[in-house]
Amino acid sequence: MVLWYNIPMLTKVRVINTLSTITKKAVEFIYTDFYAPLVALLTLFFWVSGFSLAGVLLFSLIGTFIFVVQRDMTPVLPLLLSIFFLPSNLSIFSNILSYLVFLPALGGLIYHFIKYPLKEFYFGKLLFPLFLIFFTMLLGGIFSDEILSYGLGLVQIFGIGFAMLFAYVVLSQYICPSEAFDNKHYFYHSLLIICAVPCMEMFFSTLFFINCPTGVITYKTLGWGDKNFIGYMILLAVPICFYFIVKAQKQRMYIYMGALVFFLISILFISCDGATGILIVCTPFLFYFTYKRVTVNKKQAVIYFAYAVLLTIAIILLIISIASGNLIGYLNTHFFNDTGRTRIYKQAMELFAKHPIFGVGVYYPVLKGSVGYINYHSTIHHALATTGICGFLAYAYLTYKRIKIAAQNFSDFNFYGLLSIIFYMAYCFIDCGEFLMIVIFINVITLILERENTHPEKNTLKPLKVLSKRV
């Protein structure tokens, strides 16, 4: 501080102007199409290198910068969605000191609340459903004998129940780009880029970390989850690819066609059964609807592309057939069996029968002799078993509100967003996405659809301080 006072005034002005220019250029950059790819590349770098904690710290610092310099939190979304794919090993968070990397973002968020106070609270349409989810998680297992013994349940309650509610409340107040800014393109573009990250990480694991002495491929620990997580990402991304095929200029349309092929190939190679089945049934309808929506000069390209995709899938299945030696056996193994779900569903319903009102509690250890916890591979069964009929009704209400928000107005933006939500929810019938951190993706998609369609009053928002023309 003393040193600063001794600096000549002219030098101080130059330093301040330089910092102001750098800040302005940085703010301009985070609203461009290059920002999300940079975040994705950083995510891949820190995941591959194993310096995941350093990556979390960097994202925390970038988030702090955004919180401090402006009111709009839209550029926080790529960071928020990417950060889940940074860890290559969750043991980095086994030490309580590791969580200090989040302190800069926490401090920046508190500063943001003080600098940009709310003149009017925006009651988002998911606010009450998400509160009910949190409340039923808190009550889950309240009359169960195991209520005091499931420590991981607390992580689930506050990591999923409270954190998702808190994120929704904050973002619904502070996502406020200027009217001139194309938030629809920005968000869907960012979502598409981020959804590709776990696919690339899985391919990297497959190519460079295969260890199959017994002939069975095992993957490097991904840290953030498994192939089911990737299945969710692909289900969200595929409709968005079709959105850009409709909306982009013909020259750029081929980029999104390539992205669509990438996601469809990814779903075949990771053998994510439920997600693959959903896409096999729904993709032809997506092609048909997209063909009807595109302009005349794009129609022929869409037809040729549909044939190319069909041929590509046929070739991949042929390769699988040759590699496995038995395509029918491969299909039976990966697509036409319940992978033990029948037994798990039965146990879930037995627990629901014992505690039908509030369930047995989130992440109750149900398998005899099991050293860990279990998810019931079905949001319906998981909700009934762990949170009872109260939790089931809360999730049913949340699902209804999501679909209602997306179906409020008919537009390409809404329609393809609605399909992403429907695909996600369909997969939740045979998996447990609502009880995983991955649920932040679908909540953010719904929030953006809501914000773009309802247009809350702009005059309640405090003006941004550091702005480019686009912000």
Side-chain angles (χ1 to χ4, degrees):
M1 186 62 70
V2 175
L3 183 62
W4 175 254
Y5 282 120
N6 293 331
I7 297 175
M9 181 59 67
L10 182 60
T11 303
K12 291 180 181 178
V13 171
R14 288 174 178 172
V15 170
I16 292 173
N17 287 340
T18 300
L19 291 175
S20 178
T21 300
I22 293 173
T23 300
K24 183 177 180 179
K25 293 294 183 182
V27 170
E28 290 176 349
F29 175 76
I30 61 178
Y31 283 92
T32 66
D33 283 349
F34 301 104
Y35 172 58
L38 176 61
V39 171
L41 288 174
L42 288 172
T43 303
L44 288 170
F45 169 76
F46 287 113
W47 179 83
V48 171
S49 66
F51 300 133
S52 304
L53 209 57
V56 175
L57 176 60
L58 177 61
F59 281 20
S60 178
L61 292 173
I62 297 173
T64 304
F65 168 79
I66 296 170
F67 294 147
V68 169
V69 302
Q70 64 176 32
R71 189 187 195 285
D72 179 33
M73 288 189 182
T74 302
V76 173
L77 294 179
L79 299 171
L80 181 63
L81 299 181
S82 295
I83 201 168
F84 296 105
F85 303 120
L86 271 172
S88 54
N89 191 336
L90 289 181
S91 64
I92 61 173
F93 293 112
S94 59
N95 188 337
I96 192 66
L97 294 178
S98 300
Y99 292 90
L100 293 176
V101 295
F102 294 103
L103 280 182
L106 178 60
L109 190 60
I110 294 172
Y111 176 84
H112 186 93
F113 293 152
I114 297 172
K115 186 176 181 180
Y116 306 106
L118 293 175
K119 293 183 178 180
E120 182 178 336
F121 186 84
Y122 176 68
F123 288 90
K125 296 179 180 179
L126 291 187
L127 179 60
F128 185 56
L130 289 175
F131 171 77
L132 289 179
I133 296 297
F134 176 46
F135 188 64
T136 55
M137 280 189 171
L138 281 175
L139 291 180
I142 192 169
F143 297 121
S144 169
D145 294 337
E146 301 292 333
I147 186 63
L148 298 178
S149 66
Y150 65 99
L152 188 59
L154 296 177
V155 177
Q156 189 80 357
I157 290 168
F158 291 99
I160 303 296
F162 175 76
M164 297 302 158
L165 175 62
F166 178 77
Y168 177 79
V169 169
V170 172
L171 292 173
S172 61
Q173 312 309 314
Y174 290 103
I175 289 183
C176 50
S178 70
E179 293 286 355
F181 181 68
D182 189 356
N183 200 35
K184 297 177 182 179
H185 169 87
Y186 182 87
F187 176 67
Y188 275 173
H189 169 79
S190 300
L191 182 67
L192 208 57
I193 297 295
I194 303 309
C195 285
V197 169
C199 298
M200 289 186 280
E201 290 180 354
M202 181 62 83
F203 280 127
F204 186 87
S205 294
T206 305
L207 291 173
F208 297 101
F209 293 95
I210 290 179
N211 176 23
C212 46
T214 62
V216 179
I217 296 177
T218 58
Y219 297 107
K220 176 182 180 289
T221 300
L222 293 171
W224 41 259
D226 57 22
K227 65 179 183 178
N228 288 353
F229 281 57
I230 303 175
Y232 282 111
M233 296 299 95
I234 295 173
L235 289 175
L236 296 178
V238 166
I240 307 306
C241 289
F242 281 100
Y243 168 80
F244 281 115
I245 290 173
V246 172
K247 304 299 288 187
Q249 296 179 352
K250 188 173 182 180
Q251 292 76 10
R252 296 193 66 182
M253 177 180 70
Y254 297 106
I255 297 175
Y256 298 106
M257 285 181 170
L260 177 59
V261 171
F262 169 77
F263 286 117
L264 292 177
I265 290 176
S266 297
I267 202 72
L268 289 175
F269 272 96
I270 65 173
S271 301
C272 192
D273 312 347
T276 304
I278 292 170
L279 289 181
I280 288 174
V281 173
C282 297
T283 300
F285 295 101
L286 269 170
F287 267 113
Y288 175 76
F289 181 84
T290 301
Y291 174 79
K292 302 292 287 186
R293 296 293 296 168
V294 298
T295 56
V296 174
N297 67 332
K298 289 183 180 180
K299 288 187 181 295
Q300 191 176 46
V302 171
I303 291 176
Y304 288 153
F305 180 61
Y307 283 123
V309 168
L310 186 62
L311 180 62
T312 301
I313 292 174
I315 292 173
I316 292 174
L317 289 176
L318 178 62
I319 293 172
I320 291 174
S321 176
I322 295 172
S324 65
N326 182 1
L327 179 60
I328 301 301
Y330 175 87
L331 293 176
N332 284 332
T333 300
H334 290 276
F335 301 114
F336 302 117
N337 71 88
D338 69 352
T339 60
R341 280 174 168 80
T342 301
R343 178 173 61 95
I344 296 173
Y345 294 167
K346 181 180 178 182
Q347 290 178 331
M349 297 312 294
E350 288 174 353
L351 290 174
F352 169 65
K354 292 180 180 177
H355 300 279
I357 307 300
F358 299 112
V360 292
V362 178
Y363 269 72
Y364 170 85
V366 297
L367 291 180
K368 293 182 179 179
S370 173
V371 295
Y373 298 83
I374 188 172
N375 82 55
Y376 295 90
H377 293 283
S378 164
T379 294
I380 293 175
H381 289 85
H382 199 99
L384 287 172
T386 61
T387 59
I389 193 65
C390 293
F392 172 78
L393 291 175
Y395 276 103
Y397 184 53
L398 177 64
T399 301
Y400 163 74
K401 294 295 289 186
R402 284 174 179 157
I403 294 176
K404 184 179 180 180
I405 289 169
Q408 180 178 350
N409 299 312
F410 183 81
S411 66
D412 291 324
F413 182 74
N414 279 47
F415 177 76
Y416 289 105
L418 174 62
L419 286 179
S420 289
I421 293 173
I422 290 175
F423 286 6
Y424 167 88
M425 296 307 305
Y427 194 24
C428 282
F429 282 118
I430 56 172
D431 201 66
C432 222
E434 291 289 336
F435 288 82
L436 303 171
M437 294 301 290
I438 216 76
V439 73
I440 186 67
F441 280 82
I442 204 67
N443 287 339
V444 169
I445 289 175
T446 309
L447 172 61
I448 297 299
L449 287 168
E450 177 186 352
R451 296 288 299 189
E452 289 299 311
N453 291 324
T454 57
H455 298 294
E457 293 298 324
K458 297 295 181 181
N459 58 15
T460 63
L461 307 181
K462 193 168 182 177
L464 308 183
K465 297 297 183 183
V466 181
L467 296 176
S468 66
K469 292 181 179 179
R470 290 192 66 192
V471 185

